[in-house]
Amino acid sequence: MKAKFAGALAVVLMLAGCSAVNESGMAAIVGEKRLSVADVAAIADEVQTTLAESDQAPSIDTLLLNQTTVTLFVRYEISKIMATALKVEATKSQIDKEYAVLVQSQGGENNLAQSAALSNIAPSYLRKYLESQLNFNNSIA
């Protein structure tokens, strides 16, 4: 477990200091999971499309959006590695419950999608974001 966690941490530290994309077309690699530059672009497009639907569409910092996307991917994958090693993975019902709370607190799914996009999180990625939060919380507990 310590070796997997140390390896995952090394990947995070390497990615944190890396601003250039390597020749493989990958924006991030965690274990066997890969996030391509094309995946990052698709997620950025989703965020931009969601924000464009708003009456108050802010200007987008593409670099920050791409960095957030890569960070969330790495965070999600590391949370899964940790939670699996500790046998404390978030369940579908936990994720669904947290998602429902967010939908209700934001006044519906459209408002939640807008709020997520304002935070540079693609609406389609919200459940993974919640899963990573729950995995980290379960791992700490």
Side-chain angles (χ1 to χ4, degrees):
M1 192 325 249
K2 286 182 182 180
K4 279 188 177 185
F5 183 69
L9 184 58
V11 169
V12 171
L13 295 175
M14 179 187 73
L15 289 172
C18 205
S19 62
V21 176
N22 64 27
E23 296 164 7
S24 70
M26 292 298 122
I29 300 170
V30 179
E32 299 296 318
K33 301 293 182 175
R34 297 171 182 275
L35 180 71
S36 72
V37 173
D39 294 335
V40 173
I43 291 168
D45 286 346
E46 180 184 349
V47 169
Q48 291 174 339
T49 300
T50 302
L51 290 176
E53 295 168 359
S54 168
D55 293 338
Q56 303 170 345
S59 62
I60 306 257
D61 181 341
T62 306
L63 179 60
L64 180 60
L65 177 56
N66 291 344
Q67 287 173 338
T68 302
T69 299
V70 171
T71 300
L72 289 174
F73 167 81
V74 171
R75 190 174 195 278
Y76 172 74
E77 294 303 330
I78 289 173
S79 80
K80 287 189 65 97
I81 291 168
M82 242 173 47
T84 300
L86 295 171
K87 296 179 175 50
V88 293
E89 300 98 326
T91 65
K92 183 181 180 324
S93 64
Q94 285 178 311
I95 298 164
D96 289 345
K97 181 181 175 184
E98 290 297 317
Y99 186 81
V101 168
L102 279 179
V103 168
Q104 183 178 16
S105 72
Q106 293 296 312
E109 290 206 34
N110 287 337
N111 291 342
L112 177 57
Q114 289 291 319
S115 294
L118 285 169
S119 298
N120 291 330
I121 301 171
S124 66
Y125 208 85
L126 273 171
R127 288 186 184 274
K128 284 186 175 184
Y129 175 79
L130 292 173
E131 183 179 351
S132 68
Q133 288 291 106
L134 289 166
N135 281 338
F136 281 121
N137 291 345
N138 293 347
S139 296
I140 291 168

